[in-house]
Amino acid sequence: MTLRIGHGLDSHRLEPGRPLMLGCVPVPSDLGLAGHSDGDAAAHALADACLGAAGLGTMGDHFPSDAERWRGVSGHEFLELVAAKLAQAGARVTSAEVALVCARPRLAPFFAAMGEAMSAALATPPGTVTVTATSGDGLGAAGRGEGILASAVALLEVG
Ligand code: MG
């Protein structure tokens, strides 16, 4: 058995008129994340961290954003698809953390639900995925509230 670590990064713009889905959880907000899919930057960063740790490439390799098949697909479904690829490769997620830069809305009340939802989507025990966030202190696009930036690390057992 080998331990492998992966890191994923993703960001999406915040726009009016879209629901905010983050970490596979709907978050009340007057702005939502734009994107070809549902824009769930937290789920996408986590998916990339898992794929990378397993040596399976990137989200872009498996789910290209110019393909009609992936239009509007939820972060939950992407994580389920990634979980199936990990299982096929004999890899198991033992722990993961998603760190968000988000000026608005306040996400702390949703950390537990996001972690549970993403753990479930990966078919891992509750508590496998944890979530944290920082406001960004007004710095950069995410810190100014123009979008949300997600960074994720995942630790996998392989073999
Ligand atoms: Mg994305």
Side-chain angles (χ1 to χ4, degrees), residues 27-28 102-111 114 133:
V27 176
C102 177
R104 56 178 174 169
R106 192 169 164 268
L107 297 176
F110 302 95
F111 289 167
M114 288 180 192

Side-chain angles (χ1 to χ4, degrees), residues 10-12 41 44:
D10 194 32
S11 56
H12 284 264
H44 298 173

